[in-house]
Amino acid sequence: MTPSWPTAVPLSTPRLLLEPLRVEHAREAAPVLDDVRLHTWTGGGPATPALLRDRYARLVAGRSPDGTRGWLNWMLRLREREPGAHPPPPPYGPLVGTVQATLHRPADGGLEAALAWVVAVDHQGRGYARESALAMAARLREEGVTRLTAYVHPDHHASAGVARALGLTASGTVVDGEVRWSDGGTE
């Protein structure tokens, strides 16, 4: 039997709306995420709107094809436009990034979430990753997540700061060049 997974619901913070991912986000997200600097720590490169649309179509399913992983994805939207920015479509501001959680159930029980965050280069340094990741983590705890993890490149100090804000601690485990951070949970 395929396990059921929590679903992404709209969330908000003082400055951001976290919108559950929709395929339609691809058109707006492509130019926001079209910056090679975003891939400095993770590899790869920017995706075209068509590739994002295909990726988002897979992710909105909310689970891996084999059902062993749950996927929760949110797009980050400013609640208001930034000073000097072109007027956004009402009533809210532009997309500025994403947060996501990949869920699985370890053999030892519980529910673990591997977290990730991306903020567009033009919007970095304003605390949006921290603010949205904290909102996501709170929602995941409400859904019964017992352990939070994140994988952060050892030289990516801003992401390490987000991990610390989430109460995560770096471990000695390195996977694909990234350090595993964890809150310990029910380990």
Side-chain angles (χ1 to χ4, degrees), residues 20-114:
L21 179 68
R22 298 184 320 272
V23 174
E24 297 78 19
H25 279 121
R27 173 179 270 181
E28 187 179 1
V32 173
L33 302 175
D34 186 19
D35 191 318
V36 295
R37 294 172 292 177
L38 288 175
H39 301 273
T40 300
W41 308 109
T42 59
T48 65
L51 287 174
L52 274 183
R53 195 172 32 260
D54 291 347
R55 182 181 306 151
Y56 292 176
R58 287 188 303 276
L59 292 174
V60 297
R63 65 178 186 88
S64 61
D66 66 2
T68 61
R69 300 276 191 262
W71 297 330
L72 290 90
N73 294 269
W74 288 270
M75 300 302 293
L76 310 179
R77 184 176 301 282
L78 292 180
R79 292 176 70 94
E80 298 178 3
R81 73 181 183 96
E82 293 181 309
H86 294 290
Y92 300 111
L95 292 180
V96 297
T98 68
V99 289
Q100 65 185 44
T102 299
L103 307 174
H104 80 279
R105 292 185 172 87
D108 63 352
L111 182 59
E112 183 172 314

Side-chain angles (χ1 to χ4, degrees), residues 119-132:
V119 172
V121 172
D122 291 344
H123 299 281
Q124 291 177 1
R126 299 177 188 158
Y128 296 147
R130 179 183 188 275
E131 187 174 323
S132 58

